[in-house]
């Protein structure tokens, strides 16, 4: 029995005890009231069932209980829309919900932090289930990542910068929890600020990944020393920082593509491409190591022959740690540029398959999510003009997608 049904039954019993014996007077029920958002057929069926049940027991109690419940919903103010029941999922092996970041032109905001919107959406329908307001004093959400539970996310919020000065505006991580079964808007989406010191002044979170259990966050952070890999323990604690430089006192770099976690909660895959340093390619960092050197605390999994061709745009490791997927940009001899979605074996470091080779349109292809073994992928940009879909067993199934989305996380 649902909480709604329990509350109605309790209200009915309490009200019935105060009513005189005999049949109740005739009563005309008001038209159904619209709650905080569109009501799904499943939820409307449940409401009709509850009204029928209470009408049989005591019509007068239904009116009192229904008006009190509607008042509780409509009287609560929140920066998010909702609540909504879980959405049915018809695409196999794919999470039901995701968080999308949108901008007016569908482009990633630069340091000036153009206004953006964060929404929780249903994967199958693309329906907006909740909208998250950017907390003050921040101006825009610029990044998002998700845990494996489909309900835990981390977002980056940034203040508006001044393009004239070129200074990086302050930014902060926020922990988001989405509960589609909650009966209140405040319970549907909960946003919590993480320590402000996690992104140092003058630095920018370039890319990030949340561990499967949602307790660790890995992020590539651009600092005055170059790109460094930060690993945070949520919800608090100082980050462990790994970096690398070609000399003892010069700025380091060499971290390309965002980090990704294996399901063991300690292995992070990243792309290291500082030429002509040996060991370039996809490396696996042991985040339990106590050092700070990216090369010392990591091992090479997929070697890269050359940093110039092909250009590696993205790498991601599957949760089981056995496979690496990469988006590569190629320039075949005498042909136009193209891109490839390539699969590599971690055990051998060798390429095992080219899954597709779409033309380069307005967007590069991007792997949004992978199943534990990598047999199912959620990808965007595989079609001309963008779009997103599920790739499974060589078959691509499109899902609803907005051209305004510049980042998403499952």
């Amino acid at each position: 029995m649902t909480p709604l049904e329990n509350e109605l039954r309790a209200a009915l019993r309490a009200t019935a005890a105060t009513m005189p014996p005999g049949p109740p007077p005739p009563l005309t029920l008001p038209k159904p009231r619209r709650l905080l958002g569109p009501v799904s057929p499943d939820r409307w069926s449940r409401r009709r069932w509850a009204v029928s049940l209470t009408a049989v027991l005591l019509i007068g109690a239904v009116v009192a209980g229904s008006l009190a419940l509607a008042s509780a919903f409509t009287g609560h103010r929140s920066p998010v829309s909702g609540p909504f029941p879980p959405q049915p999922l018809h695409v196999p092996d794919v999470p039901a919900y995701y968080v999308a970041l949108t901008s007016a032109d569908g482009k990633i905001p630069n340091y000036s932090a153009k206004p953006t919107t964060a929404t929780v959406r249903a994967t199958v329908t693309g329906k907006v289930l909740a909208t998250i307001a950017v907390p003050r004093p921040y101006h825009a959400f610029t990044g998002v990542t998700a845990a494996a539970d489909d309900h835990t996310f981390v977002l980056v919020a940034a203040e508006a910068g001044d393009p004239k000065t070129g200074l990086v505006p302050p930014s902060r991580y926020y922990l988001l929890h989405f509960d589609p079964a909650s009966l209140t808007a405040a319970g549907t989406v909960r946003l919590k600020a993480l320590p402000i010191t996690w992104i140092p002044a003058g630095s920018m979170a370039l890319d990030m990944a949340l561990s499967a259990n949602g307790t660790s966050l890995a992020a590539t952070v651009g600092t005055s020393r170059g790109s460094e890999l930060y690993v945070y323990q949520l919800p608090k604690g100082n980050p462990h920082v790994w970096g690398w430089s070609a000399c003892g006192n010069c700025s380091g770099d060499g971290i390309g593509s965002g980090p990704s976690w294996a399901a063991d909660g300690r292995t992070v895959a990243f792309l290291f491409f500082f030429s002509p340093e040996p060991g370039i390619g996809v490396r696996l960092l042991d985040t339990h190591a106590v050092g700070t050197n990216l090369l010392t605390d990591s091992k090479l999994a997929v070697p890269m022959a050359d940093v110039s061709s092909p250009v590696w745009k993205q790498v991601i490791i599957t949760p089981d740690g056995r496979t690496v997927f990469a988006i590569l940009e190629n320039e075949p001899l005498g042909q136009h540029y193209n891109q490839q979605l390539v699969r590599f074996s971690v055990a051998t470091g060798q390429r095992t398959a080219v899954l597709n080779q779409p033309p380069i349109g307005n967007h590069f292809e991007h792997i949004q999510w992978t199943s534990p073994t990598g047999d199912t992928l959620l990808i965007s940009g595989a079609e001309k003009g963008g779009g997103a879909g599920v790739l499974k067993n060589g078959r691509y199934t499109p899902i609803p997608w907005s051209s305004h989305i510049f980042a998403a996380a499952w």
Side-chain angles (χ1 to χ4, degrees):
M1 190 172 294
T2 67
L4 173 62
E5 295 162 10
N6 287 330
E7 291 179 11
L8 283 174
R9 284 181 176 273
L12 288 170
R13 294 191 185 99
T15 307
T18 65
M19 297 294 291
L27 180 65
T28 301
L29 292 176
K31 294 182 178 180
R33 298 182 60 180
R34 191 178 183 87
L35 299 181
L36 295 178
V39 181
S40 70
D42 290 343
R43 182 163 184 170
W44 180 237
S45 298
R46 185 177 67 178
R47 191 175 305 156
R48 290 183 61 188
W49 181 88
V51 170
S52 300
L53 170 66
T54 53
V56 172
L57 296 177
L58 188 59
I59 295 178
V62 175
V63 178
S66 299
L67 292 178
L69 185 60
S71 175
F73 277 123
T74 57
H76 182 85
R77 295 182 179 180
S78 173
V80 301
S81 62
F84 293 90
Q87 300 295 309
L89 185 62
H90 302 295
V91 179
D93 305 324
V94 175
Y97 311 102
Y98 67 100
V99 171
L101 303 185
T102 61
S103 62
D105 57 7
K107 296 181 179 179
I108 301 174
N110 55 22
Y111 63 86
S112 62
K114 298 176 183 178
T116 63
T117 300
T119 54
V120 180
R121 303 186 182 215
T123 302
V124 173
T125 64
K127 185 176 183 179
V128 175
L129 305 180
T131 300
I132 301 97
V134 182
R136 294 181 179 179
Y138 301 99
H139 182 68
F141 288 118
T142 59
V144 63
T145 182
D149 65 0
D150 200 25
H151 299 311
T152 306
F153 304 83
V154 169
L155 297 96
V156 176
E159 293 186 18
D162 185 354
K164 295 180 180 179
T165 64
L167 297 177
V168 177
S171 56
R172 187 171 190 172
Y173 296 114
Y174 280 83
L175 183 64
L176 170 69
H177 183 74
F178 172 62
D179 181 7
S182 175
L183 293 178
T184 65
T188 301
V189 173
R190 299 195 301 273
L191 194 66
K192 177 182 179 180
L194 295 173
I196 195 169
T197 56
W198 279 8
I199 303 179
S203 301
M204 178 183 295
L206 303 175
D207 210 341
M208 57 183 178
L210 195 56
S211 62
N213 61 8
T215 62
S216 299
L217 176 69
T220 304
V221 177
T223 71
S224 59
R225 300 178 297 276
S227 299
E228 297 179 321
L229 190 59
Y230 282 51
V231 175
Y232 314 83
Q233 300 304 315
L234 277 60
K236 58 184 179 180
N238 294 326
H240 190 156
V241 182
W242 281 270
W244 180 86
S245 63
C247 59
N249 57 0
C250 58
S251 61
D253 205 346
I255 304 176
S257 176
S260 59
W261 288 89
D264 61 8
R266 65 181 292 169
T267 303
V268 169
F270 68 97
L271 184 62
F272 179 76
F273 62 90
F274 193 95
S275 180
E277 180 70 19
I280 59 174
V282 182
R283 301 188 66 90
L284 306 181
L285 173 68
D286 180 6
T287 60
H288 288 191
V290 297
T292 60
N293 188 297
L294 268 178
L295 289 184
T296 303
D297 292 342
S298 66
K299 62 181 181 180
L300 185 64
V302 179
M304 183 192 302
D306 191 344
V307 297
S308 59
S309 182
V311 178
W312 294 56
K313 309 297 290 188
Q314 181 196 8
V315 298
I316 185 172
I317 193 170
T318 55
D320 65 7
R322 297 180 178 181
T323 304
V324 165
F325 291 101
I327 304 295
L328 307 181
E329 180 185 11
N330 292 283
E331 185 183 10
L333 185 64
Q335 300 180 33
H336 295 294
Y337 282 98
N338 62 46
Q339 56 180 320
Q340 292 180 330
L341 172 55
V342 183
R343 185 177 65 208
F344 294 88
S345 167
V346 171
T348 65
Q350 300 299 308
R351 185 179 74 178
T352 57
V354 176
L355 302 184
N356 66 18
Q357 189 168 300
I360 298 175
N362 297 330
H363 304 273
F364 273 98
E365 195 169 14
H366 190 83
I367 305 166
Q368 300 286 357
W369 173 87
T370 172
S371 64
T373 61
D375 63 329
T376 304
L377 301 176
L378 267 167
I379 56 178
S380 60
E383 298 178 329
K384 272 191 173 181
V390 179
L391 183 63
K392 183 179 178 66
N393 298 327
R395 181 178 179 180
Y396 179 81
T397 304
I399 61 174
W401 194 252
S402 169
S403 61
H404 297 290
I405 297 176
F406 67 86
W410 277 264

